């Protein structure tokens, strides 16, 4: 029990360092954007979420572990992009990195990592909602394109 709790505390500290600011910036920018701009946010977030899904569909993995695996994949992308300073002056690159950070926070929340940190839990809940909206809209658009063919 203590090992799990300490692991979650360590992940939360790491997330505050690498993800929190980026996820907050994306969520605030999203809320201030118009409908056309929101579409770009949905595309970036849905793309990041899809790219981080585990490639293995193992029925023995529970949802919490799948969410944790997805969050780890997104975190790796954020750290790599941050180390390479990809998005210093490029708005699109910044959006992409922030989208991965938001996906990581959403999936950490889904993996119940933030249960001891109410502020991160609230941020994670907002991120989960945005990821869900983005995925739903992108799936609906994809299905609409399929039926129009």
């Amino acid at each position: 029990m203590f090992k799990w709790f300490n692991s979650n505390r360590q992940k939360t500290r790491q997330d505050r360092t690498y993800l929190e600011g980026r996820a907050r910036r994306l969520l605030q920018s999203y809320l201030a954007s118009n409908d056309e701009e929101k579409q770009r946010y949905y595309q970036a977030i849905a793309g990041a979420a899809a790219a981080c899904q585990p490639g293995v569909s193992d029925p023995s993995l529970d949802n919490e572990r799948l969410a944790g695996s997805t969050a780890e994949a997104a975190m790796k992308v954020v750290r790599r992009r941050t180390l390479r300073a990809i998005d210093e002056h490029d708005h699109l690159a910044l959006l992409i990195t922030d989208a991965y950070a938001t996906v990581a926070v959403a999936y950490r929340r889904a993996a119940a990592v933030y249960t001891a940190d109410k502020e991160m839990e609230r941020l994670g809940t907002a991120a989960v909602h945005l990821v869900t909206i983005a995925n739903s809209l992108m799936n609906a658009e994809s299905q609409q394109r399929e039926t129009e063919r």
Side-chain angles (χ1 to χ4, degrees):
M1 172 86 173
F2 289 115
K3 184 177 179 181
W4 173 83
F5 183 73
N6 284 335
S7 172
N8 283 351
R9 283 182 49 197
Q10 184 178 20
K11 287 176 185 173
T12 300
R13 273 195 309 268
Q14 181 182 30
D15 290 359
R16 282 192 176 279
T17 301
Y18 291 100
L19 305 175
E20 181 182 21
R22 289 182 172 283
R24 283 190 190 286
R25 177 175 53 212
L26 184 132
L27 289 164
Q28 289 170 344
S29 297
Y30 165 78
L31 290 173
S33 66
N34 62 37
D35 288 341
E36 185 179 315
E37 292 167 334
K38 284 183 178 167
Q39 190 65 26
R40 282 185 244 142
Y41 285 97
Y42 298 143
Q43 291 169 344
I45 291 166
C52 294
Q53 294 298 314
V56 182
S57 63
D58 184 354
S60 67
L61 287 178
D62 60 18
N63 288 338
E64 191 173 314
R65 279 195 241 158
L66 284 171
S69 174
T70 303
E72 284 301 318
M75 171 63 105
K76 285 179 185 175
V77 172
V78 171
R79 291 187 71 174
R80 213 171 336 158
R81 292 177 68 89
T82 301
L83 288 172
R84 291 183 7 207
I86 286 177
D87 55 5
E88 276 183 33
H89 303 289
D90 183 350
H91 181 69
L92 179 59
L94 182 69
L95 172 63
I96 292 168
T97 304
D98 290 356
Y100 275 95
T102 304
V103 167
V105 169
Y107 280 94
R108 285 265 210 247
R109 169 65 172 93
V113 169
Y114 301 141
T115 54
D117 187 323
K118 296 305 173 194
E119 187 177 331
M120 286 300 287
E121 191 172 46
R122 281 192 299 276
L123 178 63
T125 299
V128 166
H129 288 300
L130 186 54
V131 169
T132 301
I133 292 167
N135 286 334
S136 294
L137 289 174
M138 293 298 102
N139 286 336
E141 284 183 11
S142 176
Q143 288 177 354
Q144 184 177 6
R145 282 193 298 273
E146 290 285 322
T147 57
E148 290 174 355
R149 287 184 185 178

